[in-house]
Amino acid sequence: MSYPVIGITMGDGAGVGPEIIVKALVGKEVREKCVPLVIGDCNRLREAVRICEIDVEIEEVDDLQLVSMDPRRIFCLQVGSLPAGLEFGELSREAGRHAYLYIEKAVELAKENKIDAVCTAPLNKEALQMAGYSYPGHTEILADLTGTKDYSMMLAAPNLKVIHLTTHVGLKQAINSITPDRTYKVVRLAYDTLHAAGYRDPKIAVCGINPHAGENGLFGEGEEEAQLIPGIQKAKEEGIGVEGPYPADTLFFRAVRGDFDMVVACYHDQGHSPVKVLGLEAGVNITVGLNYGVVRTSVDHGTAFDIAGKNIADDRSLLAAIDTAVDLSPK
């Protein structure tokens, strides 16, 4: 039996990424489903091993053929070198720069089919900006590195999957950027993702932009009719099982109940808040629609500078992200 190779980027070295990685990869649980390869900094991982008091060896590799499923070792592909004495929990330009370099290397390996999926530990957006990279987050970096125009962020939690029309932009800009074409394309991405995952007839529902989905023009300025409904109708004409727009305040309850397989959210907080209420430790962030067939999953939390370096970070979201990466890997 062949196991997928999952490239795990270390994220911001000043955050909780190194700790959750060593916690998640110690022992046999992950090795029973994949071959993990950390893309990051070996010495930082060794520091995390010391902090977390874990009995595991960090082994640097430059040849992916040497990576194995040995649970006593964590294999790391060294990219650059973080400065010695980097403080946990503090903004660092160098940590931001290296976080970008880890992603860049992971995408290179995925394009070359040397790894089967990319699983990302969290980066810090401010540190990324300090390093000169003008991206709102992972999703936009990955889209740029793969030359992808039509992509979306998807979140998964127990009994709830959410895909977004817009993500890291202000609310006013988000609403203005929603178009019938964008609505159609994201519904199409949702359908294709679910269908590839084995859903025979996926049920998709779209949130309204305004309270009560506009309530027939009572709220807003006709955004649902102008920006959402034409895209929904086009998808329906192609045989996609999509409904809406529905009021967001009740739609997520219906989805968790099982009425729908995926919800299309109009903007960042509309989609993120319900998933995070279900528990940060269970949430997984997925970038959908990347070119070259790049599969990317991520933890659904940030760098947590307030607890970094204290051995209290929870690795369950990373374990869930690895599981999802394995499920979405080419079979």
Side-chain angles (χ1 to χ4, degrees), residues 26 33 36 39 45 50 80 104 115 125 127 129 132 134 137 146 176 182 234 238 305 323:
V26 68
K33 63 193 75 167
I39 301 166
L45 292 175
R50 183 190 65 78
E104 185 178 54
I115 60 176
K125 297 177 179 64
Q129 297 286 332
S134 300
T146 57
N176 289 338
R182 175 63 178 169
K234 181 179 178 180
E238 295 183 0
F305 277 176
D323 282 345

Side-chain angles (χ1 to χ4, degrees), residues 18 28 45 57 77 96 107 109 112 114 151 157 195 213 232 236 287 314 330:
K28 297 181 180 179
L45 292 175
E57 180 183 348
L77 181 65
V107 170
L109 294 174
E112 296 171 352
K114 293 181 178 178
Y151 62 91
H195 194 262
I232 294 170
K236 283 185 175 181
T287 305
D314 192 321

Side-chain angles (χ1 to χ4, degrees), residues 37-330:
L37 170 69
V38 182
I39 301 166
D41 186 275
C42 294
N43 285 333
R44 199 58 168 177
L45 292 175
R46 292 184 183 110
E47 179 69 5
V49 166
R50 183 190 65 78
I51 290 169
C52 298
E53 300 178 338
I54 293 173
D55 183 17
V56 68
E57 180 183 348
I58 304 299
E59 181 165 333
E60 181 177 348
V61 293
D62 53 17
D63 183 350
L64 270 60
Q65 298 297 322
L66 300 176
V67 178
S68 74
M69 300 177 72
D70 186 346
R72 299 166 299 178
R73 294 183 289 173
I74 294 174
F75 296 90
C76 178
L77 181 65
Q78 180 80 22
V79 176
S81 183
L82 288 172
L86 177 70
E87 294 290 338
F88 280 100
E90 294 187 7
L91 279 170
S92 163
R93 183 182 69 84
E94 279 301 302
R97 183 173 76 88
H98 280 79
Y100 176 86
L101 294 177
Y102 305 151
I103 305 164
E104 185 178 54
K105 185 63 176 179
V107 170
E108 176 189 321
L109 294 174
K111 284 181 178 180
E112 296 171 352
N113 295 316
K114 293 181 178 178
I115 60 176
D116 297 294
V118 178
C119 181
T120 58
L123 54 71
N124 184 281
K125 297 177 179 64
E126 190 173 349
L128 195 68
Q129 297 286 332
M130 288 170 61
Y133 299 107
S134 300
Y135 296 97
H138 271 116
T139 301
E140 293 78 10
I141 296 173
L142 288 154
D144 193 16
L145 290 173
T146 57
T148 306
K149 292 183 178 180
D150 295 323
Y151 62 91
S152 184
M153 176 187 290
M154 174 179 153
L155 299 179
N159 303 317
L160 180 62
K161 293 180 178 65
V162 183
I163 194 168
H164 294 69
L165 294 178
T166 67
T167 49
H168 296 117
V169 294
L171 184 55
K172 184 176 181 180
Q173 184 182 348
I175 294 172
N176 289 338
S177 65
I178 296 170
T179 64
D181 184 59
R182 175 63 178 169
T183 302
Y184 162 74
K185 286 177 177 176
V186 172
V187 170
R188 182 86 232 182
L189 283 173
Y191 173 84
D192 290 343
T193 299
L194 290 171
H195 194 262
Y199 291 74
R200 296 183 63 184
D201 187 19
K203 296 175 292 182
I204 301 164
V206 180
C207 288
I209 295 173
N210 293 294
H212 297 207
E215 200 156 311
N216 298 316
L218 183 61
F219 303 115
E221 299 178 356
E223 289 87 356
E224 281 75 16
E225 289 76 12
Q227 296 165 254
L228 297 177
I229 291 176
I232 294 170
Q233 186 59 39
K234 181 179 178 180
K236 283 185 175 181
E237 291 170 358
E238 295 183 0
I240 294 175
V242 58
E243 300 179 30
Y246 290 131
D249 59 354
T250 55
L251 177 52
F252 290 100
F253 168 79
R254 295 179 62 192
V256 171
R257 186 174 65 185
D259 294 1
F260 302 104
D261 299 309
M262 191 177 299
V263 173
V264 178
C266 294
Y267 49 89
H268 183 282
D269 285 12
Q270 186 183 64
H272 278 58
S273 298
V275 171
K276 294 190 176 183
V277 165
L278 292 174
L280 291 175
E281 73 283 352
V284 177
N285 187 321
I286 306 159
T287 305
V288 176
L290 293 173
N291 288 339
Y292 303 97
V294 175
V295 172
R296 179 261 176 165
T297 68
S298 175
V299 295
D300 190 30
H301 61 74
T303 48
F305 277 176
D306 57 324
I307 63 170
K310 299 178 181 178
N311 191 21
I312 55 178
D314 192 321
D315 66 328
R316 284 178 291 177
S317 184
L318 180 58
L319 287 169
I322 294 171
D323 282 345
T324 303
V326 171
D327 289 342
L328 296 176
S329 294

